[in-house]
């Protein structure tokens, strides 16, 4: 099983859709005190989550290639992976939410929700199937203990 579209490209595509929506939809603009600070906070949190999760994969000497989960040599369940089975995707979601804040269009939340739906259906489901084949009982137990996103 090969996953064809890398999650980073999906992230970029949703970011472009968010820009187009904010640019051409005549309604939905919002602003509030601290919007930019919240955007920076989300970016910092997202960057930290992605960095830590990638670091854990490198330290565990397993693949970070999301298009080939069959290459995984170890199931990473400690550190940030105690709280989320998909912290890298969570980081991308937080970056999309920060981008939505920057654009200032409330309807971008719907596109961020679309990103979650797409990732669940087309990326995470395929990854989980492969990880279940590779790690069987260990992965089943991990799935019962740790939530998919947060």
């Amino acid at each position: 099983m090969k996953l064809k579209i890398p999650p980073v490209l999906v992230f970029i595509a949703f970011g472009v859709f968010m820009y187009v929506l904010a640019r051409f939809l005549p309604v939905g603009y919002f602003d509030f005190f601290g919007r930019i600070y919240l955007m920076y906070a989300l970016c910092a949190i997202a960057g930290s989550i992605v960095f830590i999760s990638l670091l854990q994969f490198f330290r565990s000497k397993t693949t970070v290639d999301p298009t080939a989960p069959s290459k995984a040599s170890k199931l990473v369940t400690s550190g940030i992976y105690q709280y989320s089975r998909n912290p890298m995707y969570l980081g991308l979601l937080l970056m999309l939410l920060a981008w939505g804040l920057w654009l200032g269009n409330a309807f971008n939340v719907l596109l961020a929700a679309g990103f979650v739906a797409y990732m669940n259906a087309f990326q995470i489901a395929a990854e989980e199937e492969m990880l279940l084949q590779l790690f069987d009982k260990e992965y089943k137990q991990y799935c019962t203990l740790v939530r998919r996103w947060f």
Side-chain angles (χ1 to χ4, degrees):
M1 173 193 59
K2 293 277 186 188
L3 297 165
K4 304 268 189 234
I5 304 173
V8 171
L9 291 181
V10 174
F11 164 76
I12 291 169
F14 273 89
V16 169
F17 294 149
M18 289 172 84
Y19 172 78
V20 169
L21 182 118
R23 178 80 169 94
F24 296 107
L25 189 68
V27 296
Y29 179 78
F30 70 91
D31 196 8
F32 59 88
F33 177 76
R35 177 174 63 98
I36 299 302
Y37 297 116
L38 179 58
M39 180 203 67
Y40 286 134
L42 283 175
C43 284
I45 292 167
S48 299
I49 289 172
V50 170
F51 177 76
I52 290 167
S53 58
L54 286 171
L55 185 64
Q56 282 190 255
F57 265 45
F58 289 128
R59 284 186 177 164
S60 296
K61 295 182 173 74
T62 191
T63 184
V64 295
D65 184 0
T67 61
S70 60
K71 294 180 182 178
S73 60
K74 183 178 179 189
L75 184 62
V76 180
T77 61
S78 61
I80 200 163
Y81 289 91
Q82 294 177 79
Y83 308 104
S84 172
R85 294 195 317 252
N86 298 288
M88 291 181 219
Y89 301 151
L90 176 60
L92 294 179
L93 172 62
L94 293 176
M95 285 185 196
L96 283 176
L97 292 173
W99 177 235
L101 284 171
W102 174 259
L103 295 170
N105 189 299
F107 291 103
N108 278 325
V109 174
L110 298 174
L111 287 175
F115 173 78
V116 171
Y118 178 91
M119 294 302 287
N120 281 336
F122 297 105
Q123 183 69 36
I124 294 172
E127 286 179 8
E128 288 181 343
E129 183 181 317
M130 183 58 64
L131 291 171
L132 190 58
Q133 290 176 10
L134 290 173
F135 301 107
D136 193 31
K137 291 179 184 175
E138 184 183 4
Y139 188 68
K140 281 182 189 175
Q141 181 181 12
Y142 177 61
C143 287
T144 61
L145 297 174
V146 179
R147 295 171 60 105
R148 184 178 274 174
W149 285 86
F150 51 86

